[in-house]
Amino acid sequence: MHVRDRRVKRTQNLLAQALLALIAEKGYDAITIRDITERADIGYATFFRHYRDKDELLRDVADVVINELLEILFGQQPGQEPAAVGQLIFRYVADHSAVVRVLLGSRGPASLVQHVIQRGSENVLRQNKPRPDSPVPAEIAAHHLVASSIALIQWWIEHDMPYSPEHMGEIYRQLIVQPTLTSAFIIDPA
Amino acid sequence: MHVRDRRVKRTQNLLAQALLALIAEKGYDAITIRDITERADIGYATFFRHYRDKDELLRDVADVVINELLEILFGQQPGQEPAAVGQLIFRYVADHSAVVRVLLGSRGPASLVQHVIQRGSENVLRQNKPRPDSPVPAEIAAHHLVASSIALIQWWIEHDMPYSPEHMGEIYRQLIVQPTLTSAFIIDPA
DNA sequence: CCCTTATGATATACAATATATCATATTATA
DNA sequence: TATAATATGATATATTGTATATCATAAGGG
């Protein structure tokens, strides 16, 4: 197992941190590559030795967070208490609000949110059994579940988290999880 | 009432049509202002006599469609059949799929979708009476209703509309309208 | 019909991307 | 620790796209 050159790791870390800080400051679109390299105190040309463009760096940064969140959401036993899962989500978001705000917020690129929805839907479909007689196709239900979860998180973050994670978990259950599960999936109790 | 100079109207129309065509072809971000003016067969500098930048032109174009859609959704009597409203939405989308695909699709900018959600939520709140004892705040319910409607439309469009508007209307009712209304609003029958 | 104004064509300043080169410093590893 | 490999910094440069200014011409309004 090769440990990559420390210089590379250092550079990429500095670039990632610089990008996150800058998105929070002025939004993704307004950032130039020179902004990033100056903030990271890295030579301008060095950026292109690691990433083709801004988007590639962002994807790299985002993957870490996305995998972490998906792990929390789907890394556990299926058939778990839906309310408990909701609390877990909003606790995680609260604990990582700086980064999540950047990645899911309106200041980040839309493509990222689409990517998260894509990966989340696949997980939902993998872990839930569709109800055969439902007029709501499982694919749509999964997409709805994930997309509206993200929308709810976005609302919460953009309004500076005015309700507790517990409260949001309950809202999440009532507005999203319960209706989706009952109308499109078979609920298997533990 | 002043009728604006015909030349202005003509130029802005040409720019709008060019933008829509180009977004469909290669996505919003990839478009340059020179692309637009060449497609519209308009002088490059002329663009800036009408719009500050690409985004301003897009907003101008989008407002027409957004107002039309909101008119359909909320211009009618409240307490209407939810299923009927759902069908209206998906019929409208089907009839204007080229433009809607551009405006709500992944190739357009995220800010537009946020704007639609914002305006839609305000309308929902204005036309529905919140249930006082609900753990789900009306503001969140309204946001959820609109945001997940748009997500559903996006799914439908991006999958080339595999189900009929009637079927989508039923899915819409079951997955979104019914749960949202029952958990956060007072349903008043006609 | 005449005056106003929108447009086209063109030039130019400027900002940002993307690549190339070469000397230097850092790292891996034998 | 010595040596070879390579990542980095600094710099130059080509390219692309934005944004503004100017002036002659054409189109439209009253």
Side-chain angles (χ1 to χ4, degrees):
Chain A
M1 189 79 172
H2 278 267
V3 177
R4 167 173 86 219
D5 194 314
R6 258 175 288 164
R7 290 169 294 184
V8 174
K9 200 173 174 184
R10 176 181 170 276
T11 298
Q12 296 189 351
N13 264 328
L14 288 171
L15 289 174
Q17 294 309 316
L19 178 67
L20 286 172
L22 287 167
I23 295 179
E25 280 175 27
K26 57 176 181 176
Y28 182 72
D29 286 342
I31 298 172
T32 67
I33 291 176
R34 179 145 272 127
D35 286 336
I36 301 172
T37 56
E38 275 176 4
R39 175 64 61 100
D41 199 26
I42 290 289
Y44 174 72
T46 302
F47 178 93
F48 298 97
R49 295 190 176 112
H50 296 271
Y51 303 103
R52 174 182 277 269
D53 52 31
K54 232 177 28 168
D55 288 22
E56 201 171 297
L57 168 60
L58 181 78
R59 268 192 293 276
D60 216 50
V61 174
D63 267 345
V64 178
V65 182
I66 291 172
N67 286 330
E68 227 174 84
L69 218 158
L70 290 179
E71 177 66 20
I72 287 179
L73 292 184
F74 304 102
Q76 31 200 311
Q77 306 298 344
Q80 182 130 356
E81 287 274 342
V85 176
Q87 286 189 24
L88 284 180
I89 298 176
F90 288 95
R91 259 189 221 294
Y92 177 88
V93 171
D95 291 343
H96 303 74
S97 62
V99 179
V100 174
R101 192 186 293 270
V102 157
L103 296 182
L104 295 188
S106 56
R107 306 175 74 75
S111 60
L112 241 185
V113 175
Q114 295 303 321
H115 181 225
V116 176
I117 294 175
Q118 179 63 31
R119 292 200 49 193
S121 301
E122 289 162 6
N123 276 293
V124 171
L125 282 176
R126 203 175 301 128
Q127 303 215 349
N128 290 88
K129 209 168 161 188
R131 171 178 305 183
D133 60 321
S134 173
V136 181
E139 201 186 349
I140 290 186
H143 184 268
H144 167 74
L145 180 60
V146 179
S148 48
S149 301
I150 290 171
L152 187 58
I153 293 171
Q154 287 177 331
W155 184 95
W156 194 50
I157 286 186
E158 271 162 27
H159 290 75
D160 295 318
M161 306 188 281
Y163 303 105
S164 70
E166 292 76 26
H167 192 172
M168 292 305 294
E170 173 57 22
I171 294 170
Y172 170 71
R173 191 191 63 78
Q174 198 165 323
L175 221 47
I176 299 175
V177 178
Q178 200 71 262
T180 307
L181 289 184
T182 56
S183 62
F185 295 106
I186 294 172
I187 303 149
D188 58 359
Chain B
M1 190 78 169
H2 279 266
V3 177
R4 174 172 81 217
D5 195 316
R6 258 176 288 163
R7 289 170 294 182
V8 174
K9 200 173 174 183
R10 176 181 170 275
T11 298
Q12 295 188 353
N13 265 328
L14 288 171
L15 289 174
Q17 295 310 316
L19 179 66
L20 286 172
L22 286 167
I23 295 180
E25 281 176 25
K26 56 177 181 174
Y28 182 72
D29 287 341
I31 297 172
T32 68
I33 292 175
R34 181 146 270 126
D35 286 336
I36 301 172
T37 56
E38 275 175 4
R39 174 66 60 101
D41 199 23
I42 291 289
Y44 175 72
T46 302
F47 178 92
F48 298 97
R49 294 188 177 113
H50 296 270
Y51 304 101
R52 175 182 275 272
D53 51 31
K54 229 176 32 167
D55 287 23
E56 202 171 296
L57 169 60
L58 181 77
R59 270 192 292 275
D60 216 50
V61 173
D63 267 343
V64 179
V65 182
I66 292 174
N67 286 330
E68 226 174 84
L69 216 159
L70 289 179
E71 176 67 22
I72 287 179
L73 292 184
F74 305 102
Q76 30 201 311
Q77 307 298 344
Q80 182 130 358
E81 288 274 344
V85 176
Q87 286 188 25
L88 286 178
I89 299 175
F90 289 94
R91 262 191 218 292
Y92 177 88
V93 171
D95 291 344
H96 303 76
S97 63
V99 179
V100 174
R101 192 185 293 271
V102 157
L103 295 181
L104 295 188
S106 56
R107 307 176 73 76
S111 61
L112 240 185
V113 174
Q114 295 302 320
H115 182 225
V116 176
I117 294 176
Q118 178 63 31
R119 293 200 50 195
S121 300
E122 289 161 6
N123 276 294
V124 171
L125 281 176
R126 203 176 300 127
Q127 303 216 351
N128 290 88
K129 209 169 162 187
R131 172 178 304 184
D133 59 322
S134 173
V136 181
E139 202 186 349
I140 290 185
H143 184 269
H144 167 73
L145 181 59
V146 180
S148 47
S149 301
I150 290 171
L152 187 58
I153 293 171
Q154 287 177 331
W155 184 94
W156 194 49
I157 286 184
E158 272 162 28
H159 290 77
D160 295 319
M161 308 188 281
Y163 303 104
S164 70
E166 292 75 25
H167 191 171
M168 291 306 293
E170 173 57 22
I171 293 170
Y172 170 70
R173 192 190 62 78
Q174 198 165 323
L175 220 46
I176 299 176
V177 179
Q178 200 72 263
T180 307
L181 288 184
T182 55
S183 59
F185 296 107
I186 294 171
I187 304 146
D188 59 1

